[in-house]
Amino acid sequence: MQKNFLRTSLIATIIVLLIAVLLINNLHAEYNGECWVVSNGDTVRKLYPDGKADQRAIPNLTQAQTAEVNPRDGTVWIAVSAANSVYKFNPSSGEFIAIPNIKRPHSVSVNPVDGTAWIGGLDVVVKVSAAGQVLATIDGVYEPEVAVNLTDGSCWVTDSRGKIARYDSSGALVVTSPAKLTEPKYVTVNSKTGDAWVADMQANILVKLDANGHELVRLTDIPLPTSPQVNSQDGSLWVVADSSSLIKLSANGQRIKEIQNVGLAILAISLDPKDGSLWIADQLGSTFQGEVSKFSADGRKLFGTSEIQMPSYVSVGYWPGE
C-alpha cells in the first residue's frame, strides 16, 4: 500500500514537473556548445552551434556588458551596468538571481567546478557563490577584468591604472606582478599551467605571466591587442588586433596564424577549447548591422550570421569534467 502511494506520488510529481517545464516560456535549457551574445547593448540572445539564432531573447537589459555561460549547467551570468547588478539566469527554470549593489559591473568569470563567479565592477571585485551570496570582496581596484583558474579557484585581476594581481580562492592577495603596463584591460588564464596573458591596448603590449606574476613573454608588435583567449589544452592564444584581425600565437608567443580583415569592429571573441573553434562578435559586420561568426581551430571561417544585431560580447564554454 505504501509502495503504491509512493509510486503514485512520484508519478504525480514527475507529471507536474513536466508540465512546468512545458509551460516555461524561456530559452532552451541544455547547453551543448551554444554561444550567448549581448546584442544592441540591451538584449541577450543565443546562437546554436550551427549559427542559427534562438528567436527568444532576454530584453530590457540597459547597458548589458557580458553574458557569461557556465558550461556545466547552462546558466548565464549577465552584467548590467546601468542597473549596478549582475543577474544569474537559469534557462531550465526561468529563474533570475540578482546580485545587486555592484557599481557598473562589466566583467564576469565563472568557475564551473563549483558554480562560483568573480565579478568586476567599476572599483571592486566580488566573488559570489552559485546561489549569489557574496563570498569575498576586493577593494582598491579600478575597472578590473577578472579571469578564474579552474584548477585552484584563484583569480587574476587587472587594474587599469597599470597593475595585475592574483588572488586565491578566498579573495586573499597572492601576488602583484612586477610587469610594467600602462592600462591593462584584458586577461585570460591557462588553468593547466596557471599562466596568464594580459593585453594592454593603449600601449600595444601583450604579456604572458607565470603563476607568480613573473613576465615570460612580452610582445609589442600587435596593434591594439584585445580580448585574448588562451586554449588550456595546448597553451595557444587567439587575440584580436586593431579591431579587425585575428592572430594565433603559440604558448611561447610565436605567431602561428594571422587572419586579416575578419571584421570591422571586433569587440569580443570566445574560444571553445573542446574543438578549438572561435566565436567573434563584430559590432558592424559587412552590413554595418553586426555579425557573429565562427572560425575553426585552423582559422577557417565556418559561417557568419547577421541575425543578431550589433553584437558586443560572445561566450561559449568548455568544462573538462563534462
Side-chain angles (χ1 to χ4, degrees):
M1 185 83 170
Q2 186 177 8
K3 288 184 178 179
N4 289 335
F5 174 77
L6 291 173
R7 186 180 298 111
T8 302
S9 298
L10 178 61
I11 293 172
T13 300
I14 292 172
I15 291 173
V16 169
L17 289 174
L18 288 173
I19 292 173
V21 170
L22 290 172
L23 289 176
I24 291 174
N25 186 25
N26 285 292
L27 301 173
H28 194 269
E30 294 180 5
Y31 179 77
N32 294 304
E34 298 96 339
C35 180
W36 287 84
V37 186
V38 174
S39 170
N40 280 323
D42 60 7
T43 302
V44 170
R45 299 274 305 275
K46 183 174 73 173
L47 285 173
Y48 295 104
D50 61 0
K52 293 182 180 178
D54 193 310
Q55 295 307 305
R56 292 160 291 185
I58 308 172
N60 304 319
L61 303 169
T62 304
Q63 296 180 15
Q65 302 294 316
T66 66
E68 192 69 22
V69 66
N70 180 341
R72 185 176 188 178
D73 60 11
T75 55
V76 184
W77 295 74
I78 306 168
V80 184
S81 182
N84 294 319
S85 299
V86 171
Y87 302 93
K88 181 186 178 184
F89 172 62
N90 186 337
S92 178
S93 64
E95 178 189 24
F96 280 90
I97 296 176
I99 302 95
N101 303 319
I102 301 176
K103 191 174 181 180
R104 303 194 71 78
H106 58 272
S107 178
V108 178
S109 185
V110 179
N111 187 346
V113 177
D114 58 10
T116 58
W118 293 78
I119 301 166
L122 178 66
D123 53 9
V124 70
V125 170
V126 177
K127 181 185 179 182
V128 299
S129 70
Q133 285 89 15
V134 175
L135 303 176
T137 301
I138 300 169
D139 295 309
V141 291
Y142 187 66
E143 296 179 340
E145 295 285 330
V146 292
V148 65
N149 183 331
L150 308 190
T151 300
D152 61 9
S154 66
C155 186
W156 285 93
V157 177
T158 67
D159 185 315
S160 67
R161 294 170 295 192
K163 297 179 181 179
I164 173 75
R166 185 167 69 88
Y167 295 80
D168 67 18
S169 59
S170 68
L173 178 65
V174 176
V175 65
T176 298
S177 174
K180 301 299 182 182
L181 299 169
T182 300
E183 194 173 335
K185 284 286 190 180
Y186 304 88
V187 59
T188 182
V189 60
N190 184 333
S191 291
K192 281 190 175 180
T193 64
D195 300 336
W197 287 88
V198 184
D200 184 339
M201 179 181 177
Q202 296 301 319
N204 294 324
I205 296 173
L206 181 66
V207 296
K208 181 181 180 181
L209 310 175
D210 68 14
N212 294 313
H214 298 134
E215 192 171 310
L216 301 174
V217 177
R218 175 174 287 247
L219 302 175
T220 58
D221 60 346
I222 298 176
L224 304 178
T226 60
S227 197
Q229 294 282 301
V230 68
N231 188 335
S232 294
Q233 306 302 309
D234 61 10
S236 63
L237 180 90
W238 282 99
V239 63
V240 178
D242 209 19
S243 301
S244 60
S245 302
L246 296 175
I247 296 175
K248 186 177 185 180
L249 303 172
S250 67
N252 62 5
Q254 299 298 311
R255 291 199 187 202
I256 298 174
K257 184 177 287 292
E258 183 170 356
I259 311 172
Q260 299 283 347
N261 303 317
V262 173
L264 293 178
I266 301 175
L267 297 187
I269 60 176
S270 186
L271 176 76
D272 184 351
K274 195 170 187 179
D275 61 8
S277 61
L278 195 69
W279 293 77
I280 296 102
D282 179 1
Q283 194 169 45
L284 295 179
S286 59
T287 64
F288 294 92
Q289 297 298 312
E291 178 182 79
V292 176
S293 55
K294 184 179 182 180
F295 280 67
S296 66
D298 60 1
R300 292 177 296 107
K301 186 174 182 177
L302 302 175
F303 59 75
T305 176
S306 56
E307 286 193 70
I308 298 181
Q309 292 190 340
M310 306 290 286
S312 57
Y313 192 85
V314 283
S315 174
V316 294
Y318 168 62
W319 180 59
E322 64 185 337

